[in-house]
Amino acid sequence: MEMALFGLRVLAVVALYAFFAVLLWALLRERRVESPALPAAQLVSLDEAGSEGRRYEVQASAWIGRDPNCLARAEDEFTSARHAQVLWNAGDQSWWLEDNLSRNGTFLNEQRITRAQLKDGDVIRAGRARFRFQMTDDHDGETRA
């Protein structure tokens, strides 16, 4: 009887180690799966006449505002310190614009928004500052044709 119990204990330990080995293999295999590349995008400042100014390379997210830490800076008293944010949503594979509870609102193509999906060529207005959202090919900074 003691030999049978000893055999069952050894079998349980072997089964436990086999389970951990399979679990570790599955975790390591899943880790090697690469996530899709983040598409490159830019915010291009626009003056009152619509002429292009400075270009800002957007990574996964970017703030628009007066704060010195914002990627797209606006020297405008009608723009909040952190007025709005451009974000990449990996779930639906698209860019979004979100207002940050700004006093004067955030506008996308002259429509006031709280949150809206961005398309290539959309114009964002935060206070009096305007920016064009542009998708770029790869990360070379060239805009799509």
Side-chain angles (χ1 to χ4, degrees):
M1 184 71 171
E2 287 183 31
M3 282 302 275
L5 285 176
F6 179 74
L8 287 174
R9 287 182 186 147
V10 169
L11 186 62
V13 169
V14 169
L16 185 62
Y17 278 114
F19 170 76
F20 284 132
V22 169
L23 182 63
L24 181 62
W25 174 79
L27 289 173
L28 290 175
R29 183 171 169 238
E30 184 176 308
R31 186 174 171 201
R32 282 187 233 136
V33 175
E34 293 182 20
S35 60
L38 181 72
Q42 293 180 342
L43 288 174
V44 181
S45 65
L46 302 172
D47 66 13
E48 292 173 9
S51 298
E52 293 185 358
R54 186 163 178 198
R55 294 177 178 273
Y56 304 94
E57 296 295 326
V58 179
Q59 300 301 318
S61 70
W63 282 99
I64 298 170
R66 288 190 339 257
D67 187 300
N69 295 317
C70 289
L71 175 73
R73 294 279 317 275
E75 300 298 330
D76 171 35
E77 67 271 11
F78 294 100
T79 305
S80 301
R82 287 187 173 249
H83 197 100
Q85 189 175 24
V86 174
L87 302 157
W88 172 251
N89 185 323
D92 63 8
Q93 298 288 297
S94 63
W95 289 99
W96 289 80
L97 174 65
E98 291 184 354
D99 180 66
N100 191 34
L101 301 175
S102 62
R103 179 178 293 164
N104 295 314
T106 300
F107 293 80
L108 180 62
N109 300 320
E110 294 308 318
Q111 296 276 56
R112 189 171 184 153
I113 59 98
T114 53
R115 186 171 195 268
Q117 191 170 7
L118 287 167
K119 298 181 303 298
D120 189 40
D122 281 345
V123 175
I124 299 165
R125 183 166 56 87
R128 291 183 184 155
R130 293 181 346 151
F131 301 90
R132 180 179 299 118
F133 176 78
Q134 291 183 331
M135 299 294 294
T136 56
D137 291 331
D138 302 322
H139 289 280
D140 59 5
E142 293 296 317
T143 56
R144 290 184 179 176

